[in-house]
């Protein structure tokens, strides 16, 4: 509905050690590889490496399955070819409600735009980084989360060095004993080691702003993809759609100072429609049909 697969090809990473994941991967490739260009990559754990697993804990963040997807994020660059410069990550329960454009996450200087607020929800991020920071990039609930592909190796090296271990994974098994946000850890590290590549934008910034095109569907009840279909594709239009026009200017866990800026919202939807007009008619029709 809102992502052009020719510009933003989708790769789904599954567990190579799971027969059910292999079965799912085969079905996805058969159904979507030729029509949408979706690809599937399989993840295998390194030899002699065991994901931390606290089976006695009631918190899912302490279990092996959750820890593995967090570990996987730090290594996600390894599943993409050298011609990929930027990787965008979404959670499995992410729902898009507006058209994804490069302008939504890249500024005029080529820096990736990252939204944040001041919060201390993931208090254990400081364990991984060995320093405290109240900046919160995950809890604003803005997806996709974009990174330069080269940045992942740089972060692994930085964390390996501050923990004084031979490999990043040696550090991971130590700090993964505590709940944390891998996305926060990545961005907080990049703020230090690649400040020229990322623009960090607070919810109260008056000099810049961040566009939101997707969010968690499971707990963000404000999401309404049908309104997005109206505003982007002129489908499912109702008085409700106008109310959601400003969702693209919102950090869903905190109000931004630009959240009611009509000019910003209208300009972004105009840009989206311009991109759609330039699309291959077949792709445009498939996107519209997905809204039906």
């Amino acid at each position: 509905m809102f992502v052009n697969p020719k510009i933003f090809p989708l790769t789904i990473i599954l567990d190579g050690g799971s027969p059910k994941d292999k079965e799912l991967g085969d079905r996805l490739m058969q159904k979507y590889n030729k029509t949408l260009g979706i690809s599937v990559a399989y993840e295998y754990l390194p030899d002699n490496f065991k994901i931390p697993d606290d089976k006695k804990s009631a918190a899912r963040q302490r279990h092996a399955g959750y820890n593995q997807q967090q570990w996987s994020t730090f290594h996600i660059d390894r599943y993409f070819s050298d011609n990929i410069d930027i990787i965008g990550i979404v959670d499995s329960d992410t729902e898009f409600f507006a058209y994804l454009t490069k302008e939504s996450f890249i500024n005029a200087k080529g820096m990736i735009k990252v939204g944040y607020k001041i919060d201390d929800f993931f208090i254990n991020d400081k364990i991984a980084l060995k320093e405290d920071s109240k900046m919160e990039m995950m809890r604003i609930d803005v997806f996709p989360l974009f990174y330069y592909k080269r940045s992942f190796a740089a972060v692994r090296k930085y964390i390996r060095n501050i923990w004084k271990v031979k490999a990043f994974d040696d550090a991971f098994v130590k700090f993964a004993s505590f709940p944390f946000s891998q996305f926060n850890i990545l961005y907080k590290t990049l703020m230090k080691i690649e400040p020229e590549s990322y623009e960090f934008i607070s919810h109260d910034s008056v000099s810049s702003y961040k566009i939101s095109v997707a969010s968690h569907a499971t707990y963000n009840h404000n999401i309404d993809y049908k309104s997005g279909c109206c505003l982007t594709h002129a489908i499912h239009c109702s008085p409700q759609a106008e109310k959601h026009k400003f969702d693209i200017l919102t950090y869903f866990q905190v109000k931004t100072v630009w959240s009611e800026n009509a000019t910003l919202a209208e300009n972004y939807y105009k840009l989206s429609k311009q991109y759609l007009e330039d699309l291959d008619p077949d792709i445009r029709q498939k996107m519209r049909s997905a809204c039906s």
Side-chain angles (χ1 to χ4, degrees), residues 57-167:
S57 174
R60 65 189 178 107
Q61 294 93 338
R62 304 288 292 277
H63 298 170
Y66 197 90
N67 277 334
Q68 182 167 338
Q69 62 88 19
Q70 291 188 295
W71 170 84
S72 178
T73 303
F74 287 107
H75 291 279
I76 206 165
D77 55 309
R78 298 179 175 179
Y79 305 102
F80 294 88
S81 59
D82 291 340
N83 65 327
I84 298 296
D85 293 324
I86 295 175
I87 298 172
I89 305 173
V90 296
D91 278 355
S92 59
D93 58 345
T94 299
E95 185 171 301
F96 282 79
F97 54 84
Y99 189 68
L100 176 63
T101 72
K102 290 183 178 179
E103 286 80 359
S104 69
F105 64 90
I106 293 282
N107 70 17
K109 296 180 180 179
M111 303 168 74
I112 290 178
K113 302 171 83 168
V114 181
Y116 76 92
K117 67 174 180 175
I118 301 301
D119 194 357
D120 205 19
F121 184 80
F122 290 101
I123 59 174
N124 290 320
D125 292 348
K126 61 187 177 184
I127 295 175
L129 295 173
K130 293 183 177 290
E131 64 179 32
D132 200 4
S133 170
K134 299 295 191 294
M135 293 180 69
E136 173 59 59
M137 294 81 168
M138 176 62 184
R139 286 270 293 171
I140 63 169
D141 200 17
V142 173
F143 284 93
L145 298 164
F146 286 97
Y147 302 87
Y148 278 104
K149 181 173 177 285
R150 65 172 186 269
S151 297
F152 292 92
V155 170
R156 291 194 299 267
K157 180 179 179 180
Y158 176 85
I159 292 177
R160 183 192 73 205
N161 288 340
I162 63 172
W163 279 83
K164 295 180 172 58
V165 292
K166 292 183 178 180

Side-chain angles (χ1 to χ4, degrees), residues 16 173 222 281:
V173 296
N222 189 53

